[in-house]
RNA sequence: AGAGGAGUGGCAGAGUGGUCGAAUGCGGCAGUCUUGAAAACUGUUGUACCGCGAGGUACCGGGGGUUCGAAUCCCUCCUCCUCUGCCA
């Protein structure tokens, strides 16, 4: 969430930024925050003063009791019971104000970067660059949902039987190819300096709030009611939350992690004809990279991460394009996001396979993720993450783009991992 | 899952109703000494909020309660340890 001090000091910039996101009544929302914060401070001040007085009296009573002056002690107890009543009221008021303030802040998204283009939907995203040649497939070309049946490598019906729609079963060479992609992505990230972690794929409420999935995306996560836990929608959640409530030693920066996890998304309300096959699933595999950086380095880190993702796509020899997300399509917590899309030749459309974002201090503020600067003061760090990569659409593109009359050609770099060169 | 025990500052570990944000040791930082290092000695060393400042307030696993006053007493939740049970 945004810091109140930042809102106060950069009000015009914040208003302009949030207006880019088409948020109605931005001024009113920000004013409410500022008023609540003032109220919080005033209430705190009065309460602190009362508490100071109560503390003083308590000490006096202690001293009097020791001297055996009981009667005198009883006398000043009067004042404390008055204070007690007021203080109870004040602290309830303070708590309520803090809660309202927090709630208001939770509902304000991050301020987009200056370079974020205007726009309402994915139609308005800016294409930054395009790489690789689009394959020309013959008339015999099949979309991946037919290919997986033909070669019996993924079974949706079986998944429906044991779980439900959107939970595919990978079989034989299909399963092996999944494992190959995961290992390839993990190895690439490890050689690029990312420390591998294997986090839990179930997280508590505090973690959900830490990275901003809660309360914004409450309905999009699977919830385990009897334990009040959530299935992760992305490894971003557990990995970034590793650093919740942490003051990082300067020497431990930068922090770079990679992790493979399954991801779970309810995708409520987003199903339709365009989400056939592997295009959209409830459970999918993803390798995620996460960085925690000093503020002045975070945009350099964003570039590094984008280059890493590009490197993967180049090695897989997939045609791809890079998009700068417009304000309307930008995630709630993000300042700047680049999407990577691969071309799916038989569907003749671009599929998003990675999203690389800088959150600046937005998550860190919720996480209380800080470091001690040279001036010995604690300050918030910047967090970033990106998919490197999400598997299903990569798989879809490989299947479609690399098909020929007799099968599917496995990209060179994956062969050491698959142990076969064709399906 | 049942019974018992325990959670204190970066770590170890005192503290069972007032003078305790908390002894002591270790570690960290700064300095003295030294060609340098080590040792020794001296000082310093949590976080957040409020305040221009002096300073104030809160925090001893989380939350609630008793009391003029809680690290200390009570309730509750969480976590860890031991034993019993179950189990990949």
């Amino acid at each position: 969430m945004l810091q109140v001090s930042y809102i106060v000091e950069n009000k015009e910039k914040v208003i302009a930024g949030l207006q880019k996101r088409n948020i109605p009544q931005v001024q009113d929302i920000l004013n409410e925050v500022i008023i609540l914060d003032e109220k919080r401070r005033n209430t705190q001040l009065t309460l602190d003063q009362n508490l100071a007085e109560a503390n003083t009296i308590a000490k006096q009573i202690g001293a009097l009791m020791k001297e055996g002056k009981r009667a005198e002690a009883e006398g000043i107890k009067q004042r404390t019971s008055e204070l007690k009543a007021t203080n109870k009221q004040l602290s309830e008021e303070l708590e309520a104000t803090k809660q309202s303030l927090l709630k208001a802040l939770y509902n304000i998204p991050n301020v987009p970067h200056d370079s974020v283009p205007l726009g309402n939907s994915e139609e308005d995203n800016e294409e930054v660059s395009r790489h690789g040649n689009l394959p020309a497939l013959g008339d015999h070309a099949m979309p991946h949902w037919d290919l997986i049946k033909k070669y019996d490598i993924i079974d949706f019906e079986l998944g429906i039987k044991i779980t439900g729609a959107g939970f595919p079963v990978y079989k034989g060479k299909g399963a092996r190819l999944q494992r190959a992609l995961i290992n390839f992505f993990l190895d690439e990230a490890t050689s690029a300096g990312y420390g591998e972690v294997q986090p839990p794929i179930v997280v508590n409420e505090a973690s959900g709030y830490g990275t901003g999935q809660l309360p914004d995306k409450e309905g999009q996560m699977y919830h385990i009611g009897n334990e009040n836990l959530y299935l992760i929608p992305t490894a971003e959640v557990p990995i970034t939350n590793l650093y919740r409530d942490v003051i990082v030693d300067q020497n431990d920066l930068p922090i770079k992690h990679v992790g493979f996890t399954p991801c779970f998304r309810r995708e409520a309300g987003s199903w339709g004809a365009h989400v056939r096959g592997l295009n959209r699933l409830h459970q999918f595999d993803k390798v995620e990279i996460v960085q925690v950086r000093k503020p002045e380095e975070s945009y350099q880190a964003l570039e590094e991460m984008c280059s890493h993702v590009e490197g993967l796509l180049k090695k897989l020899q997939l045609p791809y394009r890079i998009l700068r997300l417009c304000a309307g399509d930008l995630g709630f917590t993000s300042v700047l996001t680049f999407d990577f899309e691969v071309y799916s030749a038989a569907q003749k459309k671009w599929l998003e396979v990675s999203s690389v974002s800088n959150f600046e201090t937005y998550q860190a503020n919720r996480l209380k993720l800080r470091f001690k600067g040279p001036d010995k003061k604690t300050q918030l760090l910047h967090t970033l993450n990106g998919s490197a990569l999400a598997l299903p659409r990569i798989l879809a593109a490989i299947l479609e783009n690399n098909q020929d009359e007799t099968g599917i050609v496995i990209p060179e770099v994956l062969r050491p991992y698959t142990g076969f060169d064709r399906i």
Side-chain angles (χ1 to χ4, degrees):
Chain A
M1 61 195 173
L2 298 175
Q3 296 170 88
V4 178
S5 57
Y6 183 83
I7 295 176
V8 172
E9 283 159 29
N10 303 279
K11 202 170 167 194
E12 294 312 311
K13 183 175 162 23
V14 174
I15 289 172
L18 294 179
Q19 273 169 347
K20 266 170 121 176
R21 286 191 186 257
N22 305 315
I23 295 176
Q25 271 126 28
V26 171
Q27 303 239 15
D28 295 350
I29 295 170
L30 296 183
N31 284 336
E32 193 203 346
V33 165
I34 292 168
I35 288 168
L36 281 169
D37 188 57
E38 271 168 20
K39 190 178 173 196
R40 193 200 97 239
R41 282 208 306 272
N42 291 335
T43 315
Q44 173 105 63
L45 184 63
T46 319
L47 178 61
D48 282 357
Q49 286 166 348
N50 284 1
L51 286 172
E53 190 183 345
N55 284 344
T56 311
I57 294 175
K59 276 177 193 159
Q60 285 172 2
I61 292 175
L64 289 171
M65 293 295 228
K66 245 182 197 159
E67 294 169 34
K69 298 176 180 169
R70 288 197 80 94
E72 215 172 311
E74 288 301 322
I76 49 177
K77 274 193 191 178
Q78 289 290 326
R79 175 64 184 148
T80 51
S81 51
E82 280 169 41
L83 280 172
K84 240 179 128 176
T86 335
N87 287 348
K88 180 158 186 171
Q89 209 180 328
L90 278 170
S91 54
E92 277 166 11
E93 200 178 313
L94 180 64
E95 201 44 45
T97 311
K98 277 184 177 172
Q99 286 305 317
S100 312
L101 177 60
L102 206 53
K103 200 179 157 197
L105 288 169
Y106 277 149
N107 287 306
I108 300 175
N110 209 343
V111 178
H113 194 259
D114 285 339
S115 69
V116 169
L118 286 170
N120 299 314
S121 70
E122 56 185 8
E123 312 283 306
D124 304 314
N125 293 334
E126 173 194 318
E127 185 170 317
V128 178
S129 59
R130 197 180 273 223
H131 310 263
N133 299 320
L134 305 191
L137 300 178
D139 297 335
H140 62 279
M142 291 180 179
H144 69 268
W145 49 83
D146 290 331
L147 291 167
I148 60 174
K149 273 195 183 147
K150 183 173 174 189
Y151 300 111
D152 194 27
I153 51 175
I154 299 176
D155 195 324
F156 281 97
E157 281 70 32
L158 263 183
I160 287 168
K161 183 173 86 174
I162 60 169
T163 307
F167 292 90
V169 176
Y170 301 86
K171 302 197 292 189
K173 283 185 169 176
R176 181 66 183 244
L177 184 51
Q178 285 286 108
R179 190 148 57 89
L181 283 165
I182 293 163
N183 285 332
F184 169 64
F185 292 150
L186 283 173
D187 286 352
E188 288 289 311
T190 305
S191 2
Y194 293 87
E196 185 173 345
V197 288
Q198 199 177 73
I201 58 175
V202 179
V203 293
N204 58 27
E205 210 174 18
S207 295
Y209 275 96
T211 32
Q213 279 68 28
L214 292 174
D216 183 47
K217 293 201 175 105
E218 169 98 60
Q220 295 296 338
M221 287 191 287
Y222 288 97
H223 182 230
I224 303 170
N226 55 2
E227 300 281 350
N228 195 24
L229 297 171
Y230 295 86
L231 261 49
I232 58 168
T234 159
E236 162 196 347
V237 182
I239 296 178
T240 312
N241 271 281
L242 256 23
Y243 296 92
R244 172 153 47 85
D245 289 320
V246 171
I247 298 176
V248 179
D249 190 315
Q250 250 197 111
N251 300 322
D252 294 336
L253 292 167
I255 291 166
K256 299 166 79 175
H257 282 303
V258 61
F260 154 71
T261 67
C263 302
F264 302 88
R265 298 187 182 179
R266 294 186 62 219
E267 303 290 2
S270 58
W271 291 80
H274 61 294
V275 296
R276 280 192 78 176
L278 293 167
N279 289 1
R280 188 165 300 247
L281 300 170
H282 284 310
Q283 177 181 333
F284 64 95
D285 291 330
K286 180 158 64 67
V287 172
E288 182 82 0
I289 50 177
V290 171
Q291 290 209 29
V292 177
R293 303 291 294 239
K294 288 185 189 172
E296 65 269 23
E297 296 172 353
S298 69
Y299 282 93
Q300 181 199 324
L302 185 67
E303 274 179 44
E304 274 173 31
M305 292 167 79
C306 286
S307 311
H308 179 73
V309 171
E310 278 201 80
L312 298 175
L313 295 170
K314 279 182 182 151
K315 286 184 183 175
L316 290 171
Q317 294 179 297
L318 291 169
Y320 66 94
R321 63 176 187 176
I322 304 174
L323 302 176
R324 186 192 300 266
L325 293 197
C326 74
D329 204 25
L330 189 65
F332 194 83
T333 53
S334 177
V335 175
L336 178 60
T337 297
F338 292 100
D339 268 11
F340 290 74
E341 296 186 337
V342 296
Y343 191 70
S344 166
Q347 296 184 74
K348 294 193 171 54
K349 62 196 260 191
W350 293 95
L351 301 177
E352 181 197 331
V353 293
S354 176
S355 207
V356 184
S357 306
N358 188 355
F359 305 94
E360 295 195 6
T361 59
Y362 193 90
Q363 291 183 327
N365 190 30
R366 287 194 183 188
L367 293 160
K368 305 235 182 319
L369 167 52
R370 295 157 293 173
F371 77 109
K372 223 172 257 223
D375 56 353
K376 302 273 184 189
K377 279 191 180 164
T378 57
Q379 62 176 292
L380 293 172
L381 284 157
H382 283 192
T383 59
L384 305 96
N385 67 53
S387 350
L389 292 159
L391 298 225
R393 296 173 189 159
I394 288 287
L395 185 58
I398 290 176
L399 295 175
E400 293 182 11
N401 295 9
N402 296 8
Q403 63 182 302
D404 59 26
E405 290 79 358
T406 57
I408 288 146
V409 180
I410 301 296
E412 201 101 29
V413 286
L414 292 179
R415 292 180 193 171
Y417 295 94
T418 54
F420 50 84
D421 55 11
R422 289 184 72 83
I423 290 177

